[in-house]
Amino acid sequence: MSLDTVIHAGFTLAPHPRNALVLMGGGARTAYQVGVLQALSAMLRLRPQATQTFPFQILVGTSAGALNTTFLAGCATAGLQAFDRLAQFWEQLRSDHVYALNVSSRIPWSGGIGRFLAALSLSRQALAQGAILDNMPLVDTLHRAISLPAIEEALRSGTIEVLAVTASSYTSGVHWTFCHTAHDAAPQAWIRPGRRAEFQPITIEHLIASSAIPFLFPATPLWVDGRREFFGDGSMRQVSPLSPAMHLGAQKVLVVGVGQPQRSSLVGTTVQEGAHGPTLGSIAGHAMASVFHDTLQADVEQAQRVTKTMKQLPRELVAGLSYRSVDVLAIQPSQSLDALAQVHAHELPAGVRRALGGLGASNGGGAALASYLLFEPGFVQTLMTLGRQDAYARKGELLAFFAGS
């Protein structure tokens, strides 16, 4: 995120403080975010003279994080109950509600020849359909779960002010942020090198585009600048995850990621990987981690440095500048999600489990790939529990963050 974006956000004086929620991408791993928000909801309910109103005015999401923010936007008029509804949605979710793997069950997935046939079958499917997996189940799931009219109502009533979804264009290489507001006169759209914004109503197609993990899910067409472009996962080319919230006037930003500085599954390899090098699954998991490798920490540190610097200036000078610092609080998993996925890999649908096993992606370094696809109760509940624990471990920070909101 550029320095001028952070400083400009501080000079954007809104009629009232705006809280932003930024949720990063990561497939099934984003169940962790649900646990964090569940704990936050419980904390806010217990505050003295607590209100039940929805605590965020700006919602920004990427990939599966965009599914979470958009779901919340559709429930925002229910106040803090929106977080309970999101948890209920995830508790009922299964992998076959998100994707399908259409390959023959007769392929011998184990052994050298089995792995070769597995790779050949998956590559043929990718060439024929543009992706290994069919995400039509996700299209159906989102149409049933997310109410677009309810999002409009939340915007019209002022419960939320803007919903933003990010996606990456395969056509132009530009990282786009699509912003949905209730106002006829939308704020000024921003243009930065490789990044642009456009104000238009968010649809299910935007969510499918934002969550289209490369190679796994097919590209989705969207209209931008009066022309059709094909889009994939918003985590690609996401060099500045906090920038949309800053441009949209946030004064406080809570961001929940699902990445980790060091992935334990790449540190410890299996005997087979040590002797013969990484499996196809390990390489795929590493590539996936690269796609979802966000620059969140750098963005957070940039914003916090500017805030700290401005607070150290003489009060008279700061008052004359009419500057309001932007507070950023970031929460990420305290445990390895790759390691947790390895424990729960057996929960995957049989066909997917055989395919990943054939590629060496069900254990060791390959478990990282499984972690993005494990939309199953055991893994989901484990991540939600971890999210709640991590949130309560930072209860003081969270309550201080929302003090006065």
Side-chain angles (χ1 to χ4, degrees):
M1 178 171 54
S2 63
L3 186 60
D4 69 302
T5 299
V6 184
I7 295 176
H8 173 75
F11 284 107
T12 303
L13 300 180
H16 55 84
R18 290 172 174 159
N19 296 339
L21 175 65
V22 177
L23 299 183
M24 308 296 291
R29 300 160 72 101
T30 57
Y32 170 83
Q33 299 168 346
V34 183
V36 171
L37 295 173
Q38 266 191 308
L40 172 62
S41 174
M43 295 177 201
L44 295 181
R45 285 186 171 102
L46 294 176
R47 290 187 305 176
Q49 300 177 334
T51 66
Q52 298 295 310
T53 55
F54 193 73
F56 300 101
Q57 293 74 51
I58 299 170
L59 297 172
V60 180
T62 300
S63 191
L67 309 187
N68 285 338
T69 55
T70 305
F71 185 99
L72 289 172
C75 305
T77 55
L80 296 178
Q81 290 183 11
F83 302 112
D84 298 328
R85 295 183 187 180
L86 179 62
Q88 292 168 5
F89 168 74
W90 272 88
E91 287 166 354
Q92 297 169 4
L93 198 61
R94 303 292 183 271
S95 296
D96 58 9
H97 298 163
V98 179
Y99 59 83
L101 177 62
N102 302 316
V103 295
S104 173
S105 60
R106 293 177 294 179
I107 295 177
W109 297 96
S110 60
I113 185 64
R115 292 186 178 181
F116 172 77
L117 292 175
L120 181 61
S121 176
L122 295 177
S123 65
R124 284 178 175 173
Q125 177 149 324
L127 288 172
Q129 302 182 12
I132 294 173
L133 300 174
D134 178 5
N135 62 351
M136 282 306 297
L138 179 60
V139 175
D140 295 337
T141 296
L142 295 181
H143 274 291
R144 291 193 299 269
I146 294 176
S147 171
L148 299 180
I151 295 175
E152 289 285 357
E153 174 57 31
L155 290 166
R156 281 197 304 266
S157 66
T159 304
I160 61 174
E161 295 183 16
V162 60
L163 168 65
V165 170
T166 64
S168 185
S169 173
Y170 289 120
T171 306
S172 63
V174 174
H175 190 269
W176 285 84
T177 300
F178 301 98
C179 305
H180 189 174
T181 69
H183 306 293
D184 295 331
Q188 181 69 38
W190 61 91
I191 300 178
R192 294 290 185 272
R195 297 183 286 118
R196 293 192 60 181
E198 181 159 306
F199 286 80
Q200 57 178 258
I202 298 299
T203 65
I204 299 301
E205 286 71 27
H206 289 89
L207 302 182
I208 296 299
S210 179
S211 59
I213 300 174
F215 303 112
L216 293 184
F217 296 140
T220 299
L222 296 173
W223 285 87
V224 290
D225 270 353
R227 67 177 183 275
R228 190 174 75 157
E229 296 188 9
F230 284 88
F231 284 82
D233 200 292
S235 296
M236 297 185 290
R237 293 177 174 262
Q238 189 175 37
V239 297
S240 185
L242 297 186
S243 177
M246 299 288 191
H247 281 291
L248 293 168
Q251 272 81 52
K252 292 185 177 183
V253 182
L254 173 64
V255 54
V256 187
V258 293
Q260 295 150 303
Q262 184 182 53
R263 293 169 48 236
S264 63
S265 61
L266 293 182
V267 177
T269 57
T270 63
V271 174
Q272 183 181 21
E273 290 172 335
H276 305 290
T279 63
L280 286 174
S282 296
I283 295 172
H286 183 64
M288 200 66 62
S290 299
V291 169
F292 287 98
H293 175 71
D294 54 61
T295 54
L296 176 59
Q297 191 59 39
D299 249 14
V300 171
E301 290 176 358
Q302 173 92 297
Q304 290 175 341
R305 272 198 306 270
V306 172
T307 296
K308 182 178 180 181
T309 299
M310 295 301 293
K311 287 182 177 179
Q312 290 175 341
L313 293 175
R315 289 185 179 181
E316 297 79 8
L317 177 59
V318 175
L321 292 174
S322 299
Y323 182 86
R324 178 184 293 164
S325 62
V326 179
D327 295 326
V328 179
L329 177 60
I331 297 180
Q332 295 199 79
S334 60
Q335 298 180 29
S336 167
L337 302 192
D338 294 357
L340 295 177
Q342 184 173 342
V343 173
H344 293 274
H346 67 278
E347 299 176 13
L348 283 164
V352 178
R353 189 171 63 252
R354 286 195 299 268
L356 292 180
L359 296 175
S362 58
N363 54 48
L369 178 57
S371 72
Y372 298 96
L373 301 175
L374 253 170
F375 296 91
E376 298 297 331
F379 187 57
V380 166
Q381 288 293 342
T382 297
L383 295 192
M384 290 171 61
T385 298
L386 177 61
R388 288 191 292 267
Q389 291 173 349
D390 287 352
Y392 276 112
R394 302 181 66 179
K395 181 177 179 180
E397 292 176 79
L398 283 166
L399 289 178
F401 183 84
F402 285 95
S405 296

